[in-house]
Amino acid sequence: GAGVSQSPRYKVTKRGQDVALRCDPISGHVSLYWYRQALGQGPEFLTYFNYEAQQDKSGLPNDRFSAERPEGSISTLTIQRTEQRDSAMYRCASSLASGAGGPDTQYFGPGTRLTVL
Amino acid sequence: QQPVQSPQAVILREGEDAVINCSSSKALYSVHWYRQKHGEAPVFLMILLKGGEQKGHEKISASFNEKKQQSSLYLTASQLSYSGTYFCGTESPGSNYQLIWGAGTKLIIKP
């Protein structure tokens, strides 16, 4: 079946512009995670959802970052007034379980490479 | 706090064995291992749960020492396809199911 997809794969924007990054999880997966990954580093947690409910947003760097998953499927990570330091690979992952039953395998998407000029 | 992985990098000849370690300063509920090839997404290898349960790959083994808050990944008779960066993600009690990821161990397999 289809894996996690993300769009766009590459986004180049000018400083001060808003960007919206989309994640389409594996069908039926309850949990959806957003990460930021710097080159040569592990994923850095940003936020996650169970169904449409945002469970934890403690990893969002500041209030310019927000995420939503209004119908419990597709999610959008929005960065307002982008800054050069926001440049990174943004990945989402989804998992079948909600977490209440214990940890579950996370399936990662290909990522969106964001470059802020 | 980020788990510490060691070594940072290792170079092997095909057929040799490797051990990658992941150590946390916090009590652990589970440890997740992933492999990422250059330019690709991380791919699941294994989950180790408190209490000894494991879910994962047939050809890769791992250990989880709850008392020492450590996990090790064992790659035996390495193949060229094992090359990549290996990440551990740790889950601690009360972490709200959030994984904290190590900085990775880069594994290079030479023919």
Side-chain angles (χ1 to χ4, degrees):
Chain A
V4 177
S5 61
Q6 292 185 245
S7 61
R9 293 292 306 278
Y10 301 91
K11 177 69 178 179
V12 180
T13 190
K14 291 185 178 178
R15 188 178 49 170
Q17 298 293 307
D18 297 350
V19 295
L21 312 181
R22 173 183 165 133
C23 172
D24 200 340
I26 293 172
S27 178
H29 276 199
V30 169
S31 298
L32 186 148
Y33 305 81
W34 281 101
Y35 294 96
R36 182 166 64 179
Q37 187 174 21
L39 197 62
Q41 294 294 314
E44 174 195 1
F45 172 82
L46 296 177
T47 186
Y48 95 95
F49 294 83
N50 280 344
Y51 299 102
E52 72 281 359
Q54 192 169 20
Q55 299 294 315
D56 186 340
K57 56 181 181 179
S58 62
L60 295 176
N62 51 59
D63 59 9
R64 295 186 296 105
F65 287 72
S66 62
E68 62 174 9
R69 193 186 185 197
E71 297 179 0
S73 179
I74 293 168
S75 177
T76 303
L77 177 70
T78 301
I79 308 173
Q80 295 179 312
R81 304 181 302 282
T82 52
E83 300 177 5
Q84 287 184 330
R85 60 178 171 153
D86 299 334
S87 297
M89 175 70 82
Y90 290 84
R91 292 195 191 276
C92 76
S94 69
S95 68
L96 185 59
S98 65
D104 202 359
T105 303
Q106 294 186 23
Y107 296 86
F108 282 83
T112 294
R113 170 72 66 188
L114 175 66
T115 302
V116 182
L117 301 176
Chain B
Q1 195 167 358
Q2 187 180 41
V4 176
Q5 289 189 233
S6 63
Q8 288 185 317
V10 59
I11 300 174
L12 297 177
R13 292 236 173 252
E14 198 173 5
E16 292 181 338
D17 302 340
V19 180
I20 298 172
N21 302 301
C22 176
S23 180
S24 175
S25 59
K26 293 185 174 184
L28 297 178
Y29 178 69
S30 68
V31 179
H32 302 226
W33 285 97
Y34 283 72
R35 177 172 60 213
Q36 185 175 26
K37 293 186 179 286
H38 183 70
E40 298 180 7
V43 174
F44 168 78
L45 294 176
M46 180 166 290
I47 295 176
L48 299 107
L49 307 177
K50 187 177 178 180
E53 183 182 349
Q54 293 188 19
K55 297 193 286 184
H57 203 285
E58 289 183 359
K59 297 186 178 180
I60 295 174
S61 63
S63 64
F64 179 19
N65 187 322
E66 297 166 30
K67 285 187 178 179
K68 291 186 177 180
Q69 297 162 187
Q70 293 175 346
S71 176
S72 294
L73 189 71
Y74 304 97
L75 304 167
T76 56
S78 59
Q79 305 171 15
L80 293 174
S81 61
Y82 288 6
S83 292
T85 301
Y86 289 76
F87 293 102
C88 68
T90 57
E91 181 194 9
S92 296
S95 68
N96 201 22
Y97 310 111
Q98 190 189 125
L99 292 181
I100 307 298
W101 297 85
T105 295
K106 188 169 185 177
L107 178 64
I108 298 171
I109 310 292
K110 293 188 172 182

